[in-house]
Amino acid sequence: MAHLGSRRGRALALPVGLALTASLGFLPSGAASAAELSDAPATAKTATNGPKLSYVVNVGAGRGTAASVRKSIARAGGEVVVSYDQIGVIVVHSQDPQFAKTIRRAYGVVSAGATRTAPLSVQTDNSVGGGSQALTEAEAKAAAARATDEQDALEPLQWDLPAIKADKAHKRTLGSKRVTVGVIDTGVDDTHPDLAPNFDAKASANCVSGKPDTTPGSWRPNPGESDHGTHVAGTIAAAKNGIGITGVAPGVKVSGIKVSTPDGFFYTEAVVCGFVWAAEHGVDVTNNSYYTDPWMFACKNDADQKALIEAVTRASRYAEHKGAVNVAAAGNSKFDLAADEILDNSSPNDTTPGDRVIDPKKCLDYPAMLPGVVTVSATGAKGLKSSYSNYGLGVIDIAAPGGDSTRFQTPDAPAVNGLILSTTVNGGYNYKAGTSMAAPHAAGVLALLKSTYPSASPAALKALLYAQADKRACTNPYDIDADGKIDAVCEGGKNKNGFYGAGLIDALDAVRRF
């Protein structure tokens, strides 16, 4: 997840209606012709004793196409879990190992693929929640003693707020209650006293199965599950109420859209559900601090992986069409995402990963590398690219505080820890680092922008975010650990480069009207 030193670096610490026409841009301009495709044969024999897997089936535009494909799915041995006809994506379970190959031949199907390599009943990874550092009682007491009348008790430890001028922005406004940021993540503990005042339950749900569950509290992490989403939510919108920490936009609403399995996998069907849910429940900004499992990079030349990219692309575009700006973490593997090739040795992460060399122009870390998504790199307390942060000219849109080892970037007093302090479960607080922590800072600034310009479109909000950013030139040579070896090379100029994109986010400019 987004946390510094995490083994996988993965969680970066996912209603049925009429099909839309192609003019909206969520569905392809047309399905293949009947001469090219045929319906799945009604007499075909399907296996039912294979491992039970989840699939996404992407259908073409046209009235009745989804209904026709659902019939083909049944004949091919699939069980429809939910059909998102708004975007032409159907979530299916099947125990037939040939299901994907069979359904791809059905009329109206554009692409289809398994969302995982492990059976639905198998969950073996429990690395999501690692990488936190505890807030000590001594630190908390010292911070409370230093806090001014205008600060929450732990705010003196939040070096990240003055780094983006959020402390100055809060003197003008805390943001609007009419703005909601959806945290698509591991769940949000809305009982936390710093989150409860700003929590939007109506915009919250559990999407882990691919179908939204609105049972009250279903969006919370269960005991033993990761606090990642709760930490992200605090960075965005922890209330300015005299206790604990202060969020970047402490006056806006935050919702929890849970898309992570108990063991920390963010599968495609859950992510699709998360974006569609956000789109249809008034969410203005979505925060996505993860990559979609089981592939760190999903490749368009693989039939299964291509379908996964297509499904999430449709869902994220739908959310933006409905008014949401989608923000995503760039990743924590020190990769140059603009390189000619990258060694991915962690995929698939739900069974047995292997080494493969990928071309990031054809194999995407999604949703971060999808069109229209705001991709955020991380900086530390000294304003340099964080040691772990991915980068890449033309890929990174903007930079924000994500924290770094104090050994590399030490904060100024009274802050004592180079990581990001935020909320955790059971009413507590802890430190984490990662691009997971950078993305919610950007989401918070976008929420302030939406509060300032309530009628602004997603495109306009993104343009403002980039234009107002504090320009940051490349920091070359970049030897973050001072061992005499170059750790990364930044390409580009001051206005746009591979480390910082358009620059460091600026919360103060976001609340000014020019």
Side-chain angles (χ1 to χ4, degrees):
M1 94 192 284
H3 311 310
L4 194 61
S6 169
R7 176 172 62 82
R8 293 165 62 212
R10 186 185 56 73
L12 306 171
L14 315 150
V16 177
L18 294 176
L20 294 172
T21 62
S23 62
L24 288 180
F26 310 119
L27 304 182
S29 58
S33 69
E36 296 172 297
L37 297 170
S38 61
D39 221 353
T43 57
K45 293 182 179 180
T46 59
T48 58
N49 59 351
K52 189 174 185 179
L53 295 179
S54 181
Y55 299 83
V56 286
V57 178
N58 302 312
V59 307
R63 186 177 297 274
T65 303
S68 173
V69 170
R70 284 193 289 271
K71 293 179 182 178
S72 297
I73 287 169
R75 285 193 286 267
E79 174 189 356
V80 173
V81 176
V82 61
S83 184
Y84 292 109
D85 291 0
Q86 312 96 311
I87 58 172
V89 177
I90 304 174
V91 179
V92 180
H93 289 170
S94 178
Q95 287 185 262
D96 184 353
Q98 298 300 311
F99 172 76
K101 185 179 295 185
T102 301
I103 201 63
R104 286 181 198 128
R105 298 196 301 267
Y107 175 77
V109 173
V110 175
S111 60
T115 68
R116 61 193 71 203
T117 60
L120 279 163
S121 60
V122 175
Q123 295 171 342
T124 59
D125 189 308
N126 60 5
S127 68
V128 160
S132 301
Q133 291 183 12
L135 171 69
T136 68
E137 185 176 352
E139 288 173 352
K141 288 182 177 179
R146 295 284 298 268
T148 68
D149 291 343
E150 296 179 342
Q151 291 181 311
D152 282 348
L154 299 178
E155 194 172 335
L157 300 177
Q158 292 182 267
W159 59 263
D160 48 311
L161 295 185
I164 61 171
K165 305 172 202 167
D167 54 338
K168 295 178 180 178
H170 296 163
K171 294 178 181 179
R172 292 173 173 260
T173 180
L174 303 180
S176 171
K177 295 290 185 187
R178 296 183 178 180
V179 174
T180 295
V181 180
V183 178
I184 302 179
D185 212 296
T186 65
V188 173
D189 182 1
D190 58 304
T191 67
H192 194 292
D194 244 350
L195 297 177
N198 291 337
F199 193 75
D200 187 348
K202 292 181 180 179
S204 300
N206 184 321
C207 272
V208 174
S209 70
K211 183 178 182 179
D213 173 7
T214 58
T215 304
S218 63
W219 50 76
R220 298 173 191 148
N222 293 317
E225 293 182 355
S226 174
D227 67 342
H228 187 269
T230 303
H231 195 280
V232 165
T235 295
I236 296 168
K240 198 165 184 63
N241 53 4
I243 64 171
I245 66 157
T246 301
V248 173
V252 307
K253 293 289 187 180
V254 66
S255 72
I257 305 173
K258 187 176 182 180
V259 298
S260 170
T261 69
D263 291 327
F265 291 103
F266 295 71
Y267 286 120
T268 294
E269 65 270 29
V271 174
V272 167
C273 172
F275 277 119
V276 174
W277 175 266
E280 299 186 344
H281 289 83
V283 170
D284 300 288
V285 182
T286 71
N287 188 89
N288 303 271
S289 290
Y290 58 89
Y291 73 74
T292 310
D293 295 299
W295 308 98
M296 177 178 279
F297 295 91
C299 298
K300 296 178 181 179
N301 60 358
D302 178 277
D304 284 288
Q305 295 168 44
K306 175 184 177 182
L308 309 187
I309 296 171
E310 173 72 12
V312 176
T313 298
R314 292 185 182 193
S316 64
R317 283 177 171 168
Y318 183 62
E320 182 163 355
H321 172 76
K322 287 287 190 175
V325 181
N326 301 311
V327 180
N332 304 328
S333 301
K334 310 177 188 177
F335 288 148
D336 179 355
L337 298 176
D340 292 333
E341 59 182 38
I342 292 174
L343 173 63
D344 175 12
N345 58 8
S346 64
S347 303
N349 59 19
D350 59 350
T351 47
T352 305
D355 289 354
R356 59 176 188 157
V357 176
I358 63 94
D359 178 353
K361 297 179 186 65
K362 300 176 181 177
C363 301
L364 308 182
D365 173 343
Y366 68 108
M369 295 175 72
L370 295 182
V373 174
V374 177
T375 307
V376 188
S377 64
T379 56
K382 294 303 182 186
L384 301 175
K385 183 189 84 70
S386 299
S387 56
Y388 53 80
S389 181
N390 288 351
Y391 58 100
L393 181 61
V395 179
I396 300 302
D397 292 309
I398 205 157
D404 206 347
S405 168
T406 307
R407 181 165 63 94
F408 301 147
Q409 301 191 59
T410 305
D412 294 332
V416 296
N417 194 305
L419 311 190
I420 303 298
L421 180 65
S422 190
T423 46
T424 185
V425 295
N426 302 320
Y429 303 87
N430 64 19
Y431 295 98
K432 300 186 194 297
T435 55
S436 275
M437 284 62 252
H441 283 84
V445 171
L446 281 161
L448 292 176
L449 278 167
K450 183 66 173 178
S451 300
T452 306
Y453 304 97
S455 298
S457 67
L461 292 173
K462 286 187 284 186
L464 285 168
L465 181 73
Y466 303 149
Q468 294 175 357
D470 294 334
K471 305 308 176 188
R472 188 66 54 92
C474 280
T475 43
N476 288 323
Y478 179 80
D479 178 14
I480 195 68
D481 55 4
D483 65 353
K485 298 179 181 179
I486 301 301
D487 297 307
V489 176
C490 178
E491 297 181 328
K494 185 175 182 178
N495 291 330
K496 185 78 171 180
N497 60 65
F499 276 13
Y500 310 110
L504 187 70
I505 56 172
D506 188 323
L508 180 57
D509 278 354
V511 300
R512 288 172 169 164
R513 278 189 172 273
F514 295 96

